[in-house]
Amino acid sequence: HAQRGELLCKVLALGVEPQVAFKYCFKGLEDVVSKIQSQIDCEPVDAEMTFNPNNAPYFFFKHEKTGYKLDISALANEIADNLEHSSNFTINLKPQVLLPSVYYDDLKDYANLRGSFYTSFNENNANRKHNIRLAMSKFNGMRIERSKEYSFNETTGRRTDANGYKPANIIVDKKYVEGYGGGVCQASTTLYNALLLSGLDIREVHSHSLVSAYVNMGFDAMVNFGTSDLRWANNTNTDMFVRTYVAGNKVGVQIYGKPDDRPYTYKRITEVEEEIAPPADEVIIDKKGEYSNLVNYTDESAYISAAHKGYKVRAILEKYDGETLIERKFLRRVQYQATKGVKVVGAKERPVVPEPITQQNDLAAATVEFWKRFTQF
């Protein structure tokens, strides 16, 4: 065995592969080593994270695994050295440790909720609800990567029938009219506020010309493909993940990502600088009977559109470290138009109905009073 050990050392010194050297010097040893190697060698496995916004828990983690690799060259040299002295020896295998590059601890904090926001809508308006749900679905599961800019319009596409959108009320020229994609601005507004509360950088945002009922003034985000967009960038130290939902009469956005070094929170502040009185009502005399379900006679009137004040406001975002205000950021100044009321009045003179006569001796007096209304004496 000593001679074979010496021979093995010489063969290895020539640069021969250890398994070949084993086969040449000790028939059958290469099979033993191969078996040992198959039991030890394994590649490291990185920790993995899966984000599924439609099933709780939304984040699933697979833990990392350490890998090992048997150093065949070191084993061969150790066998050769031991054989020179004895045919009976013990070798303690010391495989090389292969570390994974991604650990569970690197991923688990992605499940931290950084910001969320929801708004409410009329659940009975089926088309509007459909458009909101469709627009929100484009962001559900989105990964917002660091240092990358995103666009609402590019993500949702044009609001057309071909893209699945339905007609519902939209604002055009300071008025509500029916158009494809009505409700999408509520989706963009909900997303915008969630982005703000998550500490992301807003690059482009626009306001409506009229006050939106579903959000505080100064915090709406009007979008119109080709002219007005909501754009933002991730300037934090973590990728973020978006979950959206529509449940009942609520549409919401949740944004997850690793927390900041400090537990910052944000508050949205609306400062009203001026109230603008609405103009005089527009009066429509219903000569064609188009509003006969509301009015018929000249002494009847009804509002088909209420007057609303206008406002000039400032939108402020406050950043807190615990209870301490550390930053007060001016976002934008917005002016919302005042709107006039529209009142409809009946066009017909109400017919005169004779008063009922309850007693016989009132007949003459009642007759005189009746004819006085239609004749001149």
Side-chain angles (χ1 to χ4, degrees), residues 193-242:
N193 282 268
L195 295 171
L196 279 178
L197 296 173
S198 302
L200 290 165
D201 182 30
I202 306 300
R203 299 286 176 86
E204 179 183 352
V205 66
H206 303 268
S207 62
H208 292 89
S209 57
L210 305 178
V211 174
S212 299
Y214 49 78
V215 73
N216 291 350
M217 291 185 295
F219 290 93
D220 54 324
M222 183 270 292
V223 290
N224 184 39
F225 200 94
T227 60
S228 305
D229 200 359
L230 170 63
R231 302 184 73 90
W232 69 95
N234 185 353
N235 58 343
T236 71
N237 61 356
T238 175
D239 286 2
M240 296 191 193
F241 298 83
V242 182

Side-chain angles (χ1 to χ4, degrees), residues 98-130:
L98 306 177
L99 297 178
S101 57
V102 181
Y103 290 82
Y104 166 74
D105 286 344
D106 299 328
L107 302 176
K108 63 183 177 63
D109 287 340
Y110 279 115
N112 170 66
L113 181 63
R114 288 185 61 106
S116 65
F117 193 78
Y118 75 86
T119 58
S120 302
F121 57 86
N122 180 3
E123 193 175 1
N124 295 323
N125 190 328
N127 282 7
R128 182 179 177 85
K129 183 175 182 178
H130 168 85

Side-chain angles (χ1 to χ4, degrees), residues 17-18 21 37 47 81 89 165 185 215 249 274 299 341 373 377:
E17 289 292 328
Q37 185 178 18
D81 290 342
F89 54 88
Y165 292 96
C185 285
V215 73
N249 69 332
E274 182 182 348
D299 57 354
R373 300 181 188 182
F377 294 95

Side-chain angles (χ1 to χ4, degrees), residues 34-186:
S34 294
K35 185 176 181 180
I36 295 173
Q37 185 178 18
S38 67
Q39 295 173 341
I40 292 177
D41 283 8
C42 61
E43 292 296 322
V45 178
D46 289 342
E48 295 180 0
M49 178 186 71
T50 303
F51 176 54
N52 186 346
N54 298 318
N55 293 300
Y58 307 124
F59 289 86
F60 175 78
F61 298 95
K62 183 185 292 184
H63 284 256
E64 71 279 357
K65 291 183 180 179
T66 302
Y68 298 95
K69 184 175 179 60
L70 184 62
D71 190 337
I72 301 297
S73 296
L75 176 62
N77 287 323
E78 190 170 354
I79 291 174
D81 290 342
N82 278 277
L83 282 173
E84 290 184 28
H85 302 92
S86 173
S87 61
N88 186 15
F89 54 88
T90 300
I91 294 178
N92 294 319
L93 299 176
K94 298 177 182 179
Q96 179 185 359
V97 176
L98 306 177
L99 297 178
S101 57
V102 181
Y103 290 82
Y104 166 74
D105 286 344
D106 299 328
L107 302 176
K108 63 183 177 63
D109 287 340
Y110 279 115
N112 170 66
L113 181 63
R114 288 185 61 106
S116 65
F117 193 78
Y118 75 86
T119 58
S120 302
F121 57 86
N122 180 3
E123 193 175 1
N124 295 323
N125 190 328
N127 282 7
R128 182 179 177 85
K129 183 175 182 178
H130 168 85
N131 292 337
I132 291 173
R133 186 188 300 276
L134 178 57
M136 284 284 88
S137 70
K138 306 294 185 180
F139 299 92
N140 196 33
M142 171 183 278
R143 182 170 187 151
I144 303 177
E145 298 178 19
R146 286 170 287 181
S147 304
K148 188 173 179 180
E149 186 173 291
Y150 294 83
S151 159
F152 184 93
N153 285 338
E154 290 174 7
T155 304
T156 58
R158 293 183 178 274
R159 271 68 83 181
T160 62
D161 178 56
N163 285 338
Y165 292 96
K166 296 183 177 181
N169 274 356
I170 60 175
I171 299 175
V172 176
D173 194 23
K174 306 172 189 176
K175 294 180 181 179
Y176 285 98
V177 299
E178 191 174 82
Y180 278 98
V184 171
C185 285
Q186 184 164 353

Side-chain angles (χ1 to χ4, degrees), residues 368 370-377:
V368 171
F370 175 78
W371 286 107
K372 277 183 179 179
R373 300 181 188 182
F374 300 99
T375 61
Q376 295 181 352
F377 294 95

